[in-house]
Amino acid sequence: MAYRELLRRWHQAVLAADGGDWDAALDAFCGIEEPPSRICFNIGCVHLRAGRLEEALRAFSKTVTKDNSLAVGYFQRGFVYLQLEMYEEALSDYQMAFSHLRQNPFIDYKQLGLRHILYAWEVLYSTAAAQCRLQQWQEARVTLDKAVVWRPEGRTAMLALALEQVQNHLFLEPMQVPLGELFRPRKKEIEQLDSKDFLGKPKVISSIIPNDEYIGFEPLRPQKQGFYEPSADAVRDRESGYYRVLSHYYLEGSEKLAVKANSLVFVLARGADGWATAIHDGQKLRIPTSLLEPASKMDKGKISIGIPLPPAQVPPNRLHVKQTPESPGGVNASANDAGSQMGFEIPNTQGDASSILDRPAVLRVHCECMVVVRAGEVPSLPELRTLLRERFSLQAERGRLSYRHLDGKELGAVSGEEDLGKMWQQLTDGRLTLCCQDSDSHSGRPILYRMLAQHAYPAQGPGDLEFSKGDMLDILSEVNEEWLEGHCNGKTGIFPKCFATQTSCGATFP
C-alpha cells in the first residue's frame, strides 16, 4: 500500500476513535495492508479496550515482532499476559520493556505520535505485580526498592503503600497505557494529503497585449508573428480568433462607445446566449455575436498589437499613381525626364565653375561596369586586370555620368556643360561624389541609390519586382512613401520600401 493511502486510512481511524466509534476505527486499522508496528499497537489497544484479550495479545505480539525495540509494546503485552494469568510471560515482557529503556528514567513517545510517557518506575512497579502473582515476594520487594530509586517526585507515598502490601502478601495491580491513547500520524503529513494551490490565482505579469487581463496559464511556446493568438488549449471555443466588429457597440445602460465599427477583437469564447467574450485594446469585454464576422488575413495584418509581421506577409497598400511613361527613345531618355517623373526640380542657380574651384577639390568616382567572361575560359589575374582596364577605359569615355545632390537622395545626370556647372555647385567641404555607369544599363535611367534586400519579396502583381533576401536593388524612382521602383536580376518593377535598407552602390575608386 502506498504511504499516502496508509496515512489517509490511519487518520480516518483515529478520527473515528476520537468520535467514540471504536468499531469503525478497528475496521479502518485492519483495512491497512501490511500495517507497521504502530498500527498493530493501535489495533491491540482497541481490542484491549473492548475486552478481547486474545486478539489484543496477537496484535501486541505483531507490534514487538515488527519493532523489537518498542518498550511500550512489551509493556502493553505484559499487561495482557497478566490478565490472561500467563505470569511468566508477563514477567519476561516487563523485564524486556525495562531493558529497552536503556537506563533512561522515561521515554516520551510524543515524537512518534503517542501522547504518553513511559516511566521506568512504572515498568518496575508492574514487574513487582507479576512477581507477586508468582509468589516471589522477596523479589517483588527488591524490585519496589529499585523503583523508589527511579521514582519521580510525588510518587513516594504510592511506592511506600506498595511495599506495605507486598509485606502483607497482597497482590499489586499492574499499570498500562491509558485507554483511548493511540499512535497518531504526524500533523504535517496529514496537511499534505490534500492538493494545495501554492501558486494561487494567476496574474498576468507580462503580455504582448497592453493591460491584458486574460486569466489562464499556457505552456511556453514560440510566439506567432504578427498578432496575439493564445494556444488551442488556452481558449475554450473552436470559434476563438480574430473578428471584425460590423458596427459601433455601446456598453449596456451607457452611452460610452466600447468598440468602434470595423475594429478587430480577439474572441475567447462564444456563448449560447448570443454573447461572446473578447479582448479589445487589452481589456476583456462581452459583445453580441451578431456584430461579429471572422477577420480575413489582411485584417490580421493590420493589427497593431503584438509582434510586427515580417514585410513578406502584408505589403503596404498600393496607391494608384499615374506614372509617366518612358520616352520612346529608351536609351536616349534624358535625365531631366526621369527627374520630373520623380517630382525632383533642379534649381536654376548656375555659377562659374572657375569661381567655385578656387581651391583644390576631391572628386570621388563610383564606377559600375559589366565584364563578360566566356564559358570554360578562366582568365588569369593579369588577363582580368586587362579586361577591367579596357572596360573602365571604355566606360569612362562613353558611360553616363551623374552626381549626388546635397540631400543625398537622388542623382543628377551630367550630359552637358550646364549640368557640369550644376554638379560643381554640389561641392561640400571640397568634396564631390560622381557616378559612372554603363550607358546601356537600366534602359538609360539613372540609379538614385542602391538598397540591400532584408526580406524576400514574392511578386504580388504583374508590375512587382520579385527578389530574394540579400539581393542588391538599384532604385530608379520613388513611387510614394511606401513603394519604390527598382531593378534587380535583369528585371524592373515596384516593391515595398520596408523590404530593403539603403546602402552604398558599387565599388569605389577615388
Side-chain angles (χ1 to χ4, degrees), residues 201-212:
K201 184 179 180 181
K203 179 181 179 182
V204 176
I205 302 300
S206 178
S207 174
I208 59 176
I209 296 181
N211 303 320
D212 188 6

Side-chain angles (χ1 to χ4, degrees), residues 47-337:
H47 284 302
L48 182 60
R49 188 181 187 282
R52 296 185 288 267
L53 298 179
E54 294 293 340
E55 290 84 350
L57 180 61
R58 286 193 293 270
F60 287 128
S61 297
K62 290 182 180 180
T63 300
V64 297
T65 300
K66 292 177 180 291
D67 186 356
N68 56 12
S69 298
L70 192 64
V72 72
Y74 289 105
F75 183 73
Q76 283 293 88
R77 191 174 70 167
F79 178 81
V80 175
Y81 275 136
L82 276 180
Q83 303 303 312
L84 293 173
E85 299 181 354
M86 301 172 66
Y87 303 130
E88 292 289 346
E89 290 81 356
L91 180 59
S92 175
D93 274 357
Y94 284 134
Q95 291 173 346
M96 287 292 295
F98 185 78
S99 66
H100 284 300
L101 284 170
R102 295 182 176 84
Q103 302 299 317
N104 293 309
F106 63 87
I107 294 178
D108 190 352
Y109 286 96
K110 183 179 180 180
Q111 296 296 327
L112 295 179
L114 180 65
R115 294 178 293 194
H116 179 71
I117 299 177
L118 180 63
Y119 290 95
W121 74 269
E122 292 179 336
V123 178
L124 293 173
Y125 185 93
S126 296
T127 303
Q131 291 170 338
C132 289
R133 284 165 172 76
L134 290 171
Q135 304 297 319
Q136 299 176 0
W137 303 105
Q138 184 62 32
E139 290 82 352
R141 184 181 179 87
V142 173
T143 301
L144 288 176
D145 289 336
K146 189 176 180 180
V148 173
V149 178
W150 290 93
R151 77 186 185 282
E153 296 182 1
R155 296 291 182 176
T156 306
M158 180 179 180
L159 292 176
L161 181 60
L163 283 171
E164 185 178 346
Q165 288 179 322
V166 171
Q167 286 180 347
N168 296 328
H169 291 191
L170 298 177
F171 291 154
L172 301 177
E173 291 299 325
M175 294 184 175
Q176 64 172 324
V177 175
L179 295 177
E181 292 297 335
L182 305 172
F183 278 103
R184 300 170 181 270
R186 289 188 177 92
K187 183 179 180 180
K188 290 184 177 180
E189 292 180 337
I190 296 302
E191 291 175 350
Q192 295 175 0
L193 284 177
D194 298 326
S195 299
K196 254 188 176 180
D197 184 9
F198 292 99
L199 296 177
K201 184 179 180 181
K203 179 181 179 182
V204 176
I205 302 300
S206 178
S207 174
I208 59 176
I209 296 181
N211 303 320
D212 188 6
E213 293 182 355
Y214 176 68
I215 300 301
F217 286 105
E218 295 185 47
L220 293 176
R221 59 186 176 87
Q223 288 285 357
K224 191 172 182 180
Q225 290 182 323
F227 51 90
Y228 173 75
E229 185 175 354
S231 64
D233 296 334
V235 295
R236 297 165 292 179
D237 198 307
R238 289 184 180 179
E239 298 180 350
S240 298
Y242 277 98
Y243 285 76
R244 176 182 293 280
V245 180
L246 299 177
S247 62
H248 292 319
Y249 171 63
Y250 297 86
L251 294 177
E252 291 182 285
S254 173
E255 297 182 356
K256 181 180 178 181
L257 180 62
V259 184
K260 295 182 179 179
N262 295 323
S263 298
L264 294 177
V265 297
F266 188 90
V267 173
L268 296 173
R270 293 167 63 98
D273 56 354
W275 289 81
T277 303
I279 293 178
H280 177 64
D281 286 341
Q283 301 293 331
K284 189 187 294 184
L285 53 84
R286 284 172 58 82
I287 186 171
T289 56
S290 59
L291 299 180
L292 302 176
E293 69 172 4
S296 63
K297 292 183 178 180
M298 294 298 293
D299 290 333
K300 293 179 180 179
K302 299 175 184 178
I303 298 173
S304 60
I305 299 174
I307 303 175
L309 279 171
Q313 301 297 324
V314 181
N317 294 331
R318 298 172 180 271
L319 293 182
H320 300 284
V321 180
K322 183 177 181 180
Q323 300 185 16
T324 305
E326 295 184 3
S327 301
V331 176
N332 297 325
S334 65
N336 290 336
D337 291 339

